Amino acid sequence: MDDALRLPHLVVIPVFAGVNALDVTGPAEVFALAGRLLAPDRPGYEVRVCAERSGPVDTFSGVPLYVTATLDESRVRPDTVLVPGRVDLGPDGPVPQVDPAVVAWLREAGPRAGRVASVCAGAHVAAAAGLLDGHRVTTHWATAERLAADHPAVEVDADPVFIRSGRLWTSAGLTTAMDLTLALVAEDHGDDLALKIARIMVMYLQRPGGQSQFSVPLAHRTGGRADLRGLRRWIGEHLDADLSVPALAARLAMSERHFARVFRAETGTTPGAYVEELRLESARRLLERTVHPLPGIARACGFGSVETLHRVFRDHLSTTPGDYRRRFRVGPVDTH
């Protein structure tokens, strides 16, 4: 075989101060294990971590990465560029950070690379370099609105674990870096190798629930009112009850108008939208984990009818409950 064909697949990961360490080390471990499992006559991966300057790079966790290659030294044609992210915790939630030196390097190296992948808030870095324009992408759910607002030419979908759009790959929050890297290995060497890696690393080859990244209660502000926090817990435990605004307002001895105003101020959403999201999340869990028939799931989650269940799935997920179950149901199956 020609020696050129034996060259390892070059993965370049540009890092910067405050980067999420898992965005870097997680994919590196997957690529390294792939190389160990490949037959001797098949090239593995060379992972090159580079930064503006060589030496230690502080990460979000405080555990430093020691980098030996600089961005200037990495002006090659990588087979894969993997862009990690950094998120700072501000008073209003996570704030993605963009490193100018990495953005400048990406503008030059990105178009030459065989493929470009971003992890979590790394999508903000890739977008700043103009690499995501015209593509459907994902990122961490907490920064998705910011990404869409800052880059109108990018189509942002906050739900999937990862998305491929041509030679561009983007993944959601933190641990999904591993899911994305398994998919990259599968593209290079097939599903059998990816499955071996998943078994050794005790991972799902395809994460169950796929699109579910976060719980509805965690996606909305907690607020400072103890009575509303208690009500939200009660709602989650009584999805088949009357959860209309009049009924919920009566539980807190408020007028309907005052309750709706306070609920939105505390959570950032309306009572009706919050209840529907919770019911949808519960229905998704039941479809993923049980074989309960659709009428029973509709009643248990408070939708009342299969027709309403279908409408909500169509409006929120652009699919049907049956199709969702076929795609995402995982075992062991609970039939009780």
Side-chain angles (χ1 to χ4, degrees), residues 19-326:
V19 69
N20 291 314
L22 189 60
D23 291 3
V24 181
T25 59
E29 292 287 342
V30 174
F31 285 129
L33 185 53
R36 297 289 183 90
L37 294 175
L38 283 167
D41 62 339
R42 299 184 67 184
Y45 295 90
E46 175 192 345
V47 177
R48 181 184 303 177
V49 180
C50 60
E52 188 174 12
R53 290 178 292 275
S54 60
V57 175
D58 290 333
T59 66
F60 177 81
S61 65
V63 177
L65 298 170
Y66 195 87
V67 177
T68 58
T70 67
L71 294 173
D72 285 338
E73 294 169 340
S74 300
R75 296 184 184 280
V76 294
R77 184 191 181 279
D79 296 295
T80 297
V81 170
L82 193 146
V83 188
R86 168 185 169 182
V87 176
D88 291 344
L89 301 180
D92 296 322
V95 180
Q97 301 297 313
V98 173
D99 184 83
V102 171
V103 169
W105 180 84
L106 280 173
R107 287 199 182 105
E108 181 179 339
R112 295 200 310 266
R115 64 188 175 199
V116 176
S118 70
V119 176
C120 191
H124 295 261
V125 183
L131 300 179
L132 304 186
D133 287 357
H135 291 273
R136 175 173 167 261
V137 307
T138 193
T139 187
H140 192 285
W141 62 266
T143 68
E145 288 187 9
R146 175 73 172 269
L147 180 63
D150 290 348
H151 302 281
V154 178
E155 180 187 350
V156 181
D157 184 346
D159 201 32
V161 168
F162 64 84
I163 292 175
R164 179 183 184 180
S165 178
R167 69 184 191 93
L168 299 178
W169 300 65
T170 53
S171 73
L174 293 173
T175 59
T176 62
M178 311 283 276
D179 300 76
L180 179 142
T181 310
L182 277 178
L184 296 178
V185 170
E187 181 187 49
D188 296 335
H189 299 287
D191 289 340
D192 287 347
L193 178 62
L195 180 57
K196 289 180 182 177
I197 296 170
R199 285 172 174 164
I200 292 172
M201 301 189 78
V202 196
M203 294 174 58
Y204 288 105
L205 181 59
Q206 180 178 354
R207 187 182 298 229
Q211 303 173 78
S212 302
Q213 292 182 53
F214 56 90
S215 171
V216 171
L218 297 179
H220 296 288
R221 296 195 297 266
T222 302
R225 294 184 58 127
D227 55 352
L228 277 184
R229 289 199 301 271
L231 179 67
R232 289 169 69 179
R233 286 193 296 271
W234 184 88
I235 291 172
E237 296 167 357
H238 298 84
L239 293 177
D240 58 346
D242 179 2
L243 300 180
S244 63
V245 168
L248 295 176
R251 287 191 66 85
L252 296 188
M254 293 182 182
S255 70
E256 295 175 25
R257 183 176 181 181
H258 181 58
F259 168 73
R261 183 168 60 247
V262 170
F263 191 96
R264 187 174 191 114
E266 289 284 301
T267 66
T269 190
T270 65
Y274 181 78
V275 168
E276 185 163 275
E277 287 182 65
L278 274 180
R279 285 172 166 163
L280 174 61
E281 182 181 60
S282 179
R284 289 168 73 164
R285 287 201 195 103
L286 290 174
L287 289 167
E288 293 163 7
R289 303 174 187 178
T290 77
V291 291
H292 295 340
L294 294 187
I297 289 177
R299 288 192 300 271
C301 298
F303 289 118
S305 69
V306 173
E307 290 74 21
T308 302
L309 183 67
H310 270 264
R311 177 188 62 77
V312 173
F313 265 73
R314 184 177 62 251
D315 292 348
H316 289 266
L317 304 176
S318 299
T319 189
T320 67
D323 284 341
Y324 185 89
R325 168 172 270 167
R326 281 188 287 274

